[in-house]
Amino acid sequence: MRKVMTRPRPRPSASRPPTGRPPTRGDARRPSDHRPSDRRPRTVPAQPPPHPTEVFAERLLLVLSGQRPLHWAARHIANTAYDELARLAELNPLRTDGHRPTLQRVGHYQPHPDAYEVFARVATGPRLRALAFRLALGPDRRWRCTAVELETGRQ
């Protein structure tokens, strides 16, 4: 038995556009006309807010790479950590030629309900660097960075 694959032939009415419409448009309905009442609009499921450790790691990365000025994150940093971050930012430790630094991994340890000790791995091209900082919950119930360290590795 010999099998032959054939394509269905188009109907004559579908091959030429109806009168009154441009030839490129295949549907006469307008977008507002085609909304059945039983269909609900698609909703994107809500994402949980990012963890404070991820937010601060991203902020510190932007300051240390020179993409944002130090005063951009000043209200989120305690006095002693601000001085350390200012010293580190002057050195531009994450500024590289052509490679934008990215966070590869962010982890944290919670020694107290009101504190996080955070570690992050930062990639700048082929090099990896370690970033560590501490977050503390202030009396106003806002997280503030209280210590910052950056290991640039061996040169």
Side-chain angles (χ1 to χ4, degrees):
M1 182 167 133
R2 186 174 172 202
K3 291 186 178 182
V4 178
M5 301 295 286
T6 60
R7 291 185 179 167
R9 294 182 183 201
R11 295 181 187 171
S13 63
S15 63
R16 64 188 137 105
T19 59
R21 282 191 301 195
T24 57
R25 185 169 173 139
D27 189 3
R29 295 174 295 183
R30 294 177 185 239
S32 61
D33 297 340
H34 182 63
R35 189 156 273 256
S37 60
D38 61 335
R39 287 178 80 190
R40 294 182 185 157
R42 290 185 184 181
T43 58
V44 177
Q47 297 290 327
H51 199 268
T53 59
E54 295 171 2
V55 173
F56 274 88
E58 198 62 45
R59 284 182 186 273
L60 291 175
L61 179 73
L62 292 173
V63 170
L64 290 172
S65 64
Q67 297 176 41
R68 293 285 185 165
L70 180 61
H71 65 81
W72 176 71
R75 67 182 185 150
H76 303 288
I77 302 171
N79 294 343
T80 56
Y82 186 85
D83 295 339
E84 182 63 23
L85 187 60
R87 188 187 65 76
L88 285 171
E90 281 181 10
L91 301 174
N92 285 331
L94 298 180
R95 183 173 294 219
T96 59
D97 51 320
H99 296 288
R100 178 173 276 187
T102 58
L103 287 173
Q104 291 221 330
R105 184 174 189 278
V106 177
H108 65 272
Y109 169 70
Q110 192 170 12
H112 187 269
D114 293 344
Y116 285 112
E117 292 181 357
V118 186
F119 50 92
R121 186 172 24 193
V122 179
T124 53
R127 293 191 65 185
L128 289 177
R129 295 181 169 125
L131 173 67
F133 58 97
R134 182 177 174 91
L135 294 179
L137 195 60
D140 58 353
R141 306 305 295 169
R142 292 186 182 188
W143 291 102
R144 287 196 172 69
C145 181
T146 58
V148 179
E149 290 183 19
L150 180 71
E151 177 59 41
T152 57
R154 295 180 183 172
Q155 298 277 341

PDB file of all heavy atoms in Angstrom, residues 57 121 142:
ATOM      1  N   ALA A  57      23.279  43.754  48.862  1.00  0.00           N
ATOM      2  CA  ALA A  57      24.409  43.274  48.067  1.00  0.00           C
ATOM      3  C   ALA A  57      24.443  43.983  46.717  1.00  0.00           C
ATOM      4  O   ALA A  57      25.512  44.392  46.240  1.00  0.00           O
ATOM      5  CB  ALA A  57      24.318  41.759  47.886  1.00  0.00           C
ATOM      6  N   ARG A 121      29.468  36.404  46.349  1.00  0.00           N
ATOM      7  CA  ARG A 121      30.525  36.149  45.373  1.00  0.00           C
ATOM      8  C   ARG A 121      30.288  37.082  44.198  1.00  0.00           C
ATOM      9  O   ARG A 121      29.206  37.089  43.607  1.00  0.00           O
ATOM     10  CB  ARG A 121      30.487  34.702  44.922  1.00  0.00           C
ATOM     11  CG  ARG A 121      31.617  34.329  44.038  1.00  0.00           C
ATOM     12  CD  ARG A 121      31.700  32.872  43.737  1.00  0.00           C
ATOM     13  NE  ARG A 121      30.414  32.197  43.888  1.00  0.00           N
ATOM     14  CZ  ARG A 121      30.292  30.888  43.918  1.00  0.00           C
ATOM     15  NH1 ARG A 121      31.331  30.113  43.833  1.00  0.00           N
ATOM     16  NH2 ARG A 121      29.101  30.333  44.034  1.00  0.00           N
ATOM     17  N   ARG A 142      14.234  49.613  60.091  1.00  0.00           N
ATOM     18  CA  ARG A 142      14.847  49.604  58.765  1.00  0.00           C
ATOM     19  C   ARG A 142      16.202  48.938  58.852  1.00  0.00           C
ATOM     20  O   ARG A 142      16.923  49.105  59.835  1.00  0.00           O
ATOM     21  CB  ARG A 142      15.012  51.022  58.232  1.00  0.00           C
ATOM     22  CG  ARG A 142      13.698  51.677  57.926  1.00  0.00           C
ATOM     23  CD  ARG A 142      13.926  52.997  57.277  1.00  0.00           C
ATOM     24  NE  ARG A 142      12.651  53.643  57.041  1.00  0.00           N
ATOM     25  CZ  ARG A 142      12.517  54.741  56.352  1.00  0.00           C
ATOM     26  NH1 ARG A 142      13.567  55.339  55.849  1.00  0.00           N
ATOM     27  NH2 ARG A 142      11.327  55.269  56.181  1.00  0.00           N
TER      28      ARG A 142
END
